[in-house]
Amino acid sequence: MRLFVAIELEENIKDALIEVQGSMKKAGVSGNFTPIENTHLTIAFIGEYSDPDQVLEAMSNVEFSPFKISLEGFGHFNDLWWVGLEKSPELNSLVKSLRHNLADQGIPFDKKKFSPHITVVRRAICKKGLPGVSVPNKSMSVDKITLFKSERGKHGMIYTEIGSIY
């Protein structure tokens, strides 16, 4: 089972992402735009792992109080374009705690430096820059983290919630 832990996005954030994607398309960007129902903020990518209950147990040891995240700017990793987030000590603390608990349980995860972003387009072709593209100033409250499994479907990736920790 291919697993990841993420923060689900509120509707106002999804609406802002739709706006960004629309502006990118008007600016001439083409590629595989992320379906809005698949947008999320990954905080730990686990990959192939057969015991989701063990992951949920590790997640249950993470303590955090609700906090806000806010969209800020955009950028890219090669041909993958994303919307970024304002710096958040609370988010960084949550990620650190989650990764510590996953490691304590012996659960493998991607140990790359955490760089909070929400993917909006993969395999992007951007020939003339991004004139007129900006990220709306939107915020949301984070009050849970969710374990998802991802499967390749006929028309792209399908993300299914396994469980959440509040």
Side-chain angles (χ1 to χ4, degrees), residues 37-73:
E37 65 272 10
N38 282 1
T39 56
H40 60 272
L41 173 61
T42 300
I43 57 175
F45 180 76
I46 296 164
E48 292 297 328
Y49 196 71
S50 61
D51 191 351
D53 290 335
Q54 187 181 17
V55 177
L56 287 169
E57 182 181 330
M59 289 168 57
S60 72
N61 293 324
V62 174
E63 291 184 27
F64 72 98
S65 297
F67 62 93
K68 286 206 175 296
I69 56 173
S70 300
L71 299 180
E72 181 180 73

Side-chain angles (χ1 to χ4, degrees), residues 33 45 98 122 162:
F33 284 85
F45 180 76
L98 173 62
R122 288 180 170 80
I162 294 177

Side-chain angles (χ1 to χ4, degrees), residues 125-143:
I125 298 170
C126 178
K127 295 183 180 172
K128 58 181 181 176
L130 296 174
V133 178
S134 63
V135 176
N137 184 11
K138 299 291 181 180
S139 298
M140 65 170 268
S141 181
V142 175
D143 58 8

